[in-house]
Amino acid sequence: MDWKKIGKALLFPHIAVMLILIPIATVFLVYAMVFLGTESAVAILSYVLAAYTLTVWCIKLPRLIRFFRSFKAENRFARRWLDDAQLRVNVSLYGTLIWNTAYALLQLGMGFWHKSFWFFSLSGYYISLAVMRFFLVRYTSHHKPGEKMRTELKKYRACGIAFLIMNLALSLMIFFMVYWNRTFIHHEITTIAMAAFTFTSLTLAIINTVKYRKYNSPVYSASKAISLASACVSMLTLESTMLTTFGADTMDLGSRKLMLGLSGGAISAFIIAMAVYMIRQANKKINIRKTMEQENGE
């Protein structure tokens, strides 16, 4: 028996095996944590599998980094994707536009089916996001960043005004959550998956909001502000779901309503502050440009 070959196969498995291990180890670990005791044999096996999966990926990480650097340098499509901010923004806007529209129509249909203002308010919020993204993608599809700065500033300001109007739909959502205790109940594993997705979306939204400021394009900044607002509202829905799913037996109704009210108020205040900032910055820069054009005209 060639122990060296076996050890190499275990520590450096094929990339296909490593990719298969990720969902298997994740599902196995979540199932063990939710349904099994920490001392059961199956739970211990799931911990070992998760540790093994993490170990082989850490060992493979330096090689993967070198591969992606080489791929970026040699592949023209990869170079274009990484170097063309306009392409990335357009793909992101088109994708989120399709998702927002589909999700808004789903909530609208559920509103008519259940005759519930809760679903109508969700539909109104996501329809507003879809409309904002539609007007932005119409511009970014035909113009480069900073090409028509005054037009971009006006669109940036319009998005800020739209955020203020959208806050009405958000206020309705918070009202239904707090006053009528209108929440969702999901399975524990579904809730954990929602949490992972929501935290990932929020993290990427924050990173991109800061990252895209270097392009000095108000339209690009507006597109990332929309993603940030959407992620914040998703956090509120996730909090409501987690409190209902995991805190029903440990937290009374009054405490849950208080937490949701405080969180909802904070998110609403943040979106209002972001909207006011966008409007003020746009007005300030538009006025500066007008003054400069008048001086140059004289």
Side-chain angles (χ1 to χ4, degrees):
M1 185 178 292
D2 192 343
W3 291 102
K4 184 177 180 180
K5 185 179 292 186
I6 294 174
K8 185 177 180 180
L10 288 174
L11 291 175
F12 302 98
H14 192 273
I15 189 65
V17 177
M18 295 174 63
L19 291 173
I20 293 173
L21 279 174
I22 294 176
I24 292 176
T26 302
V27 172
F28 202 16
L29 181 63
V30 171
Y31 178 81
M33 293 175 64
V34 174
F35 296 105
L36 304 176
T38 57
E39 297 180 356
S40 67
V42 178
I44 293 174
L45 181 62
S46 71
Y47 301 151
V48 173
L49 180 62
Y52 170 72
T53 303
L54 180 61
T55 300
V56 295
W57 273 100
C58 288
I59 293 174
K60 196 79 170 182
L61 190 60
R63 186 176 297 181
L64 289 173
I65 293 174
R66 290 194 299 270
F67 168 78
F68 283 114
R69 284 178 177 174
S70 175
F71 182 79
K72 173 187 173 182
E74 298 174 2
N75 187 280
R76 63 188 181 93
F77 297 107
R79 288 201 308 271
R80 184 186 175 190
W81 173 260
L82 294 170
D83 297 336
D84 192 342
Q86 185 180 11
L87 174 63
R88 294 198 305 273
V89 170
N90 284 338
V91 171
S92 173
L93 282 173
Y94 274 116
T96 51
L97 173 60
I98 294 171
W99 163 254
N100 279 166
T101 303
Y103 192 71
L105 291 175
L106 173 64
Q107 297 300 326
L108 184 63
M110 294 179 69
F112 283 115
W113 180 264
H114 295 286
K115 296 180 176 60
S116 170
F117 285 106
W118 163 260
F119 293 111
F120 284 130
S121 62
L122 277 176
S123 175
Y125 184 81
Y126 283 99
I127 285 174
S128 300
L129 289 180
V131 171
M132 291 170 67
R133 284 184 163 120
F134 173 74
F135 283 110
L136 290 181
V137 79
R138 284 185 62 188
Y139 177 86
T140 59
S141 298
H142 299 91
H143 302 283
K144 294 181 180 179
E147 184 177 348
K148 294 184 177 181
M149 184 57 72
R150 180 177 288 188
T151 302
E152 290 198 28
L153 288 169
K154 289 180 179 179
K155 291 184 178 294
Y156 186 69
R157 180 176 60 188
C159 286
I161 296 171
F163 276 133
L164 291 178
I165 299 172
M166 287 167 56
N167 202 60
L168 296 175
L170 178 59
S171 299
L172 276 176
M173 293 165 58
I174 297 171
F175 174 78
F176 286 125
M177 281 183 177
V178 177
Y179 187 77
W180 285 348
N181 193 35
R182 188 67 171 86
T183 59
F184 293 103
I185 300 176
H186 295 288
H187 192 275
E188 288 88 348
I189 294 179
T190 305
T191 304
I192 293 172
M194 288 175 58
F197 175 80
T198 302
F199 280 111
T200 301
S201 299
L202 180 62
T203 302
L204 291 175
I206 294 173
I207 292 173
N208 287 329
T209 299
V210 176
K211 179 181 177 182
Y212 277 77
R213 292 185 66 182
K214 68 180 181 181
Y215 295 107
N216 193 29
S217 171
V219 168
Y220 284 13
S221 297
S223 70
K224 299 310 169 186
I226 294 172
S227 298
L228 183 58
S230 177
C232 287
V233 174
S234 296
M235 284 292 295
L236 181 61
T237 306
L238 173 65
E239 180 186 4
S240 174
T241 302
M242 294 189 73
L243 288 174
T244 305
T245 304
F246 297 110
D249 299 328
T250 59
M251 184 179 294
D252 60 86
L253 181 60
S255 298
R256 292 204 303 270
K257 286 185 175 183
L258 178 62
M259 287 190 64
L260 286 174
L262 292 174
S263 301
I267 290 174
S268 179
F270 171 75
I271 292 177
I272 291 174
M274 184 170 65
V276 171
Y277 173 81
M278 293 171 69
I279 295 170
R280 290 188 62 183
Q281 285 294 106
N283 286 334
K284 179 181 177 181
K285 291 181 179 180
I286 288 174
N287 291 332
I288 291 174
R289 294 186 69 84
K290 284 182 179 179
T291 303
M292 292 176 62
E293 289 174 0
Q294 291 173 356
E295 292 177 352
N296 292 332
E298 294 175 358

